[in-house]
Amino acid sequence: MTWKNRPMTAALIVCLVAAMLAGCTGNQQNQEENNTPKADTATDSTDPFSLSADNKMIADALAKVETPEYFKNTPTYEYTVQFPTSPEKEGSFGQQYFEKKFNVKLKFVPLDSTNRNEQLNTMFATGTIPDFLSYIPLLNVSEYANQGLLAEVPMDMIEKNMPNYYPQIEKADLFQSVQIDGKNMALPFYAAKGGVPLTANIRADWLTNVGINKVPQTLDELEEAFKRFRNDDPDKNGKKDTYALSNASTEDGEIWFQSIFGAYGTNPFLWVERDGKLQFGFTTNETKEALKRLHSWYEMELISPEFITDNARSTEVEDLATKFSEGKIGYMDNLGFEDSQWDNDGHINYRWVKNSPEWQKFFEDNKNNPDTMYATKLFTDFNDQVPQPIYINLPSLTGPNGAKGFYRSGFQGSPMVFGKQMEKDPEKLAKLLRIVDYITSDEEAYLYLSYGIDGLEWKSDEKGRRLLNPDWVKHALYDPGYKKLGDWILNPVQNTNPEFFSVIGGPRADQRYKLTMDVINTFPSYENKLGIVLPSAAKYSEITDTRIKEYVVKAIAGDIDIDGTFNDAVNRWYKDGGDQLTKEANDWLQSVK
């Protein structure tokens, strides 16, 4: 279940890295792309959705792009870059815009997003590292820095070259999490939406079909619904082929069953506060009780047997949102408010509408009336006055001891890092910092590297409002993963500036923030009580991640007896480095009190 190192010759490693640098990512099947329009190679200028029509709009827009003076007067550096997702081909709109706007060249290192960490490790084994990598897990920063892979990014260089972004991350006190041995080894990511908790979605039609007309508010009520989801044929197809829930196994551990652990006032992957001191969540009795509950659900066949491997979020393989929307599971809790928004675009809602003729008709009928199309508020209760079916976002879920809360990540996102070689060329590094700062603060740059140009993903209406284009899915360059247009995926600072939340404005923005985010913000939440990466975190990373995941999976699946092994597992955790981590955590806590 965990990735294990396998013997590999140096030659094979070099070959693999060469394949990555050449853009070979292996055979991947994007289920959504198979169901969306393919790029039209014809030159039919009469078809407004053809590839030639799309490319003409792009060419016209790029012709108007101006390079700011600073970037004009700096060398045209080539940057080797690694984003979680790379454009499908060279020369995408996003790449062309980026290169012209900032007077640079981009060389992509495309990797399979489903196992990015493993492929990065393979590449790093040869000492090869791109100039720039975005969205690197925080814990990996210290690991990579200790391996000598990363360039130091001095604080004074950041302050000098990032006059807009630096104050944000400095005020949020984010630098403390990326400093290793007194050196700043990454550029923090300010997650402006990190204060909003994840949410739990449940199928309202399944609740109705199994005779439940009250939204579950407690864990016991939820368990009763889960039993019926498994045993009472909630999809009315005459087969016992439904499960209540599964697990976001490809996500970081703190996302795993986050609403269930929250109802016990714990999370096995986070630090919690007990009696004024920090304690690692795995070691608490509440975690033991939550695992026993989850195991009982597995024994009752409420949890899908695929919970060990189910994908958390993907446009390439079947994931939890797809299973939820297609009626294979009835509950999920691993995504955020934008994914739940009723806009036929969010990760859940797009898939939901795709499987609902009534909702498809609603969006088609109102595609030219955005005030109606985006008027649907988040559902926290049953509602039969709208197209069916709907999913409900649970406002709260109370556990046996009165605890409740959904996980929120906080304002520290996954940082950006720079290859060690960048230390030898500080002017090249400084320019890249300027580019990132520009994207965070310039509306055109942020817009084009988030939503592309007028006429494709969005259109201006008669009031001058930028609105999502309901016909975008018909265009040759449409791709739900943004790999054809290459815009969203090349913005390393998405959602860092609250002023740009509504860069695509009008009713959709009102729906997203007033009718969705503001509602979920009222839900109870919890977050990691530790605000830094501990000095010994990399040394003992196995006991805070891999070991915990293994125990959680085995405990739920019944491969181990929880009552018979939990105390020994906790004692071993402390012995194998947990004592040192707990000391460091509480030393930090005392320093900030």
Side-chain angles (χ1 to χ4, degrees), residues 279-453:
Q279 182 177 352
F280 196 62
F282 174 70
T283 67
T284 64
N285 188 63
E286 291 85 356
T287 290
K288 177 183 178 182
E289 294 305 311
L291 288 174
K292 291 170 69 173
R293 185 71 162 255
L294 289 167
H295 169 60
S296 72
W297 289 356
Y298 187 78
E299 287 291 293
M300 290 187 281
E301 298 183 345
L302 310 185
I303 297 176
S304 167
E306 297 176 343
F307 85 96
I308 299 172
T309 58
D310 267 338
N311 196 290
R313 181 190 186 109
S314 178
T315 61
E316 299 170 352
V317 298
E318 183 181 56
D319 65 354
L320 292 188
T322 303
K323 288 190 169 187
F324 179 70
S325 300
E326 292 180 353
K328 296 178 181 179
I329 58 174
Y331 178 92
M332 61 179 295
D333 68 351
N334 65 296
L335 296 179
F337 73 92
E338 292 168 311
D339 301 305
S340 291
Q341 180 184 354
W342 288 86
D343 60 355
N344 193 22
D345 183 61
H347 198 76
I348 298 173
N349 197 251
Y350 169 80
R351 289 155 180 75
W352 190 269
V353 173
K354 184 178 178 181
N355 287 279
S356 169
E358 286 191 31
W359 279 106
Q360 289 175 23
K361 184 177 186 303
F362 169 82
F363 282 103
E364 179 63 26
D365 290 348
N366 293 289
K367 67 179 184 179
N368 295 318
N369 185 3
D371 293 286
T372 299
M373 186 164 65
Y374 298 122
T376 306
K377 187 177 182 179
L378 197 78
F379 298 110
T380 57
D381 206 342
F382 295 92
N383 188 327
D384 59 5
Q385 303 301 307
V386 297
Q388 297 298 313
I390 64 170
Y391 50 81
I392 292 172
N393 291 81
L394 297 183
S396 182
L397 193 61
T398 305
N401 297 316
K404 54 188 175 183
F406 301 112
Y407 170 70
R408 67 177 191 178
S409 59
F411 297 110
Q412 175 63 272
S414 297
M416 296 157 267
V417 297
F418 306 85
K420 182 70 174 178
Q421 66 275 9
M422 295 287 277
E423 285 184 348
K424 298 178 181 179
D425 197 341
E427 290 185 3
K428 184 178 182 180
L429 176 56
K431 180 172 181 176
L432 191 48
L433 294 176
R434 289 263 187 154
I435 291 172
V436 174
D437 187 71
Y438 192 94
I439 298 172
T440 68
S441 56
D442 180 79
E443 185 167 325
E444 179 212 271
Y446 187 90
L447 173 66
Y448 278 22
L449 289 174
S450 296
Y451 297 98
I453 60 172

